[in-house]
Structure formats: C-alpha cells, structure tokens
Amino acid sequence: MDLYFLGTGAGMPSKQRNVTSIALSYVDERGGFWLFDCGEATQHRIMHSPLRLSKLEKLFVTHLHGDHIYGIPGLLASRSYHGGETPLAIYGPKGIKHWIEITLKLSQSRLNYPLEIVEIEEGIVLEDDHFSVETARLEHRVDSYGYRVKEKEKPGRLLIEKLRNLGIPSGPLYGKLKQGLDVDLEDGRKLAAGEFLGLSTPGRTVAILGDTRVCEASLKLAENADVLVHESTFASKLHDLAFKYHHSTAKDAAMTAKKAAVQTLIMTHISSRYQGEEEEELLNEAKSIFPNTFLARDFWSYAVPSKKAKQNK
C-alpha cells in the first residue's frame, strides 16, 4: 500500500506544486489504485508517474472546489483512450453527479467503460473483501469530507500439512477453516480454525482529509491511523487567515495527529507563498509538536509500513 502525491498545492497550481490529487496504490491487494481528488492536470501528472490511468478503479472527491475537481472530465475521457474498460466508481458530495454528467454531456464525451457516481453522506461508503472506507463531514466553506481507509486483517496461511497429518483430505472443509470458521467432522471431532491458521496480519489505516479547520470529525477519522494526510495551507503565524478561509495551519495538523495518536503525519495542500526554504518553516513547526511528520511534494511517495503478524485466537 503506497501513497503517491500527484499534486500538493493549495488553491492554484505553481511551478513547484500542482493542485490536489493523491493516489493510493494497492498493487499487491487489487492490482490498481484509487485517487483522492483530481485537480486540474492530474492526468498529466499520472503520465509522469508509475501509475497507469487504465488501472484507476475509484475516485474519492473531498469537496467541490475547483482545485480538487477541475481535472475530472479530462481524466475520465482519457481513461478510455488509455485502454480503461473496467468499471470506475466516483464518490463525492452532493452535486458531483450533476456536475460530471452535464460536463460529459455538453462536451459529447463518450466513455468506453461503466461509470458509477455515488453522492456520499457520513458513514461507511464502501466495503469489500479487502477494505472499508468511512467518511465524515469536516469544517470548510462548502461540504468537505475526509476519508478513513481501513485495510482488513489478512488471515494467516492454512496449515495444510497439519490437516493432512490428521487424515483430513483437501476439500470444502479447508475453505471453511481458511475463512476462520470452526468445523465439525462427521466422526465427532471438532476443528478450531485458529489451530490450523498461521499468523494473521493486522490491516493498516490511512486517513485522507479534505480542506478543513480543526474539528472533531478530523480526530474521529484519524484515530490511531497508521498515516494521516492533512492539509497544512499556512504556517501558524497566519492562523487568523487560515481560520477565515476555513483552512488549517501546520501546527493544527500536528496537534490533530498528536491527539488522534496516529503513527505518521503527511502535510499537503501547501500555499504557493511557501517556496524553497520557506517550506521548512511548515515542517519544523509541525515536527516541534509531532516529530514523525513529512511534507509532501509532487511525485513523492510513501510506503505505508506493514504491520507485524499476530497469533490467531
């Protein structure tokens, strides 16, 4: 599981930072990637990255400000030309469906794949065999959401030799045990699944927040996360400006990370006023509160560390 930052700027693009888009790559789990927000020229950034547009499976939109959505129409159209034929799902606040549909209609764009658009509310918006995605409304000038992506625990491998030594041939019983289900044999023996599975691996949690002031929803989504991606538009000396425009400072992001007991903080959505050495002001400010902090840059990636396997109960 890797985070790949395609755009890390705030408001408008600069020579150093494009507007917001973050990829969550899960090649080992599913063979593709998800996007969180899609600012203008995101498809161009993907062309200069290890990602393949045809492998995009889902797009999660935090809010409807232009620097987070203006890249969507072009990306959707280009996905067809890049060989994308598998279904694509888009999740976002109310209004995203109308905006995308009218844009595609007026531009006469034709997609070669099924497109599903889901307008979200707070709660679980997606759950499958590998992940669940929970969202909550943050505090911004428009409806803005954060996403909590939780990887499900990976069960340990089935101890086949142990089963064979007990005279149990392969078959449907193996599948049940692999799923963690206890089995009653016809001869009266009971097989506890935990005794026939190797060490399981706990899932990882990544919280990716949209634009926001400090709020309780941020803490809820970030609680005990392995990685928190938090906007850090300004340094704390511009706190009043950040508050006025419903944004966060580097200090705000660090305080949220500390209170939520996350493992790693990654700051993004950086104002274009911070260039070169001025960026260090943001990083140093955050690290003084939460040492394990990184300042994202365009085309920078972060591998979310795997967790240690644990014994099944």
Side-chain angles (χ1 to χ4, degrees):
M1 181 189 287
D2 298 302
L3 286 163
Y4 195 92
F5 291 83
L6 296 161
T8 58
M12 63 180 184
S14 68
K15 292 181 178 180
Q16 288 73 32
R17 297 178 182 274
N18 196 45
V19 284
T20 297
S21 186
I22 303 166
L24 180 63
S25 177
Y26 44 82
V27 174
D28 292 340
E29 293 83 0
R30 305 168 67 102
F33 71 99
W34 296 350
L35 270 186
F36 291 81
D37 287 332
C38 185
E40 181 183 355
T42 291
Q43 64 167 309
H44 294 266
R45 312 303 270 188
I46 290 175
M47 292 170 62
H48 294 279
S49 79
L51 305 170
R52 294 173 57 191
L53 187 52
S54 61
K55 296 297 184 181
L56 174 62
E57 185 182 72
K58 300 186 188 299
L59 166 60
F60 298 89
V61 177
T62 62
H63 63 294
L64 302 186
H65 278 159
D67 58 319
H68 295 256
I69 65 170
Y70 283 167
I72 293 176
L75 179 139
L76 295 181
S78 292
R79 186 174 185 266
S80 291
Y81 295 112
H82 283 272
E85 298 179 346
T86 55
L88 174 64
I90 299 177
Y91 301 81
K94 184 177 181 180
I96 188 67
K97 182 177 177 69
H98 177 71
W99 184 80
I100 290 175
E101 288 181 344
I102 197 68
T103 302
L104 294 178
K105 179 180 179 181
L106 292 176
S107 63
Q108 299 185 29
S109 299
R110 291 177 173 83
L111 309 183
N112 296 333
Y113 53 87
L115 178 66
E116 179 186 14
I117 305 173
V118 180
E119 295 193 331
I120 62 174
E121 297 181 352
E122 292 186 303
I124 301 295
V125 296
L126 168 68
E127 185 163 15
D128 60 22
D129 292 340
H130 300 287
F131 298 96
S132 66
V133 181
E134 179 183 3
T135 187
R137 188 180 289 108
L138 306 173
E139 188 174 328
H140 195 48
R141 290 179 291 155
V142 299
D143 284 351
S144 181
Y145 289 83
Y147 293 94
R148 179 181 174 91
V149 180
K150 186 171 179 59
E151 182 184 37
K152 294 188 176 180
E153 182 174 285
K154 297 178 182 178
R157 68 178 185 86
L158 188 64
L159 304 179
I160 295 176
E161 286 302 317
K162 187 173 182 179
L163 288 165
R164 288 175 177 169
N165 290 339
L166 293 175
I168 302 170
S170 60
L173 294 182
Y174 280 32
K176 290 183 178 180
L177 291 169
K178 178 66 175 176
Q179 296 173 35
L181 302 175
D182 296 341
V183 171
D184 293 326
L185 300 179
E186 293 181 357
D187 61 10
R189 287 182 293 170
K190 296 181 181 293
L191 303 180
E195 296 180 6
F196 298 94
L197 291 174
L199 299 178
S200 61
T201 304
R204 294 160 288 185
T205 300
V206 175
I208 300 175
L209 307 187
D211 293 3
T212 186
R213 287 173 176 167
V214 174
C215 63
E216 288 299 317
S218 296
L219 292 172
K220 173 187 175 183
L221 293 172
E223 184 179 8
N224 297 318
D226 295 276
V227 181
L228 167 63
V229 181
H230 198 298
E231 71 122 301
S232 305
T233 309
F234 301 109
S236 60
K237 63 185 180 184
L238 293 180
H239 175 268
D240 291 346
L241 184 64
F243 188 82
K244 177 181 178 180
Y245 289 103
H246 294 76
H247 283 295
S248 296
T249 66
K251 180 179 179 181
D252 292 334
M255 289 298 297
T256 297
K258 184 175 182 179
K259 290 179 180 178
V262 307
Q263 296 297 312
T264 299
L265 168 64
I266 300 177
M267 300 190 300
T268 188
H269 200 271
I270 308 302
S271 169
S272 59
R273 71 185 63 208
Y274 300 102
Q275 304 285 342
E277 293 182 359
E278 294 173 327
E279 294 180 342
E280 295 302 312
E281 178 183 0
L282 299 175
L283 186 58
N284 292 335
E285 182 176 291
K287 281 192 167 187
S288 68
I289 298 168
F290 191 81
N292 196 27
T293 297
F294 296 91
L295 180 65
R297 293 178 173 82
D298 289 18
F299 301 118
W300 178 74
S301 64
Y302 178 83
V304 183
S306 297
K307 292 189 173 181
K308 292 183 179 180
K310 66 177 184 179
Q311 184 64 54
N312 296 284
K313 295 181 180 180

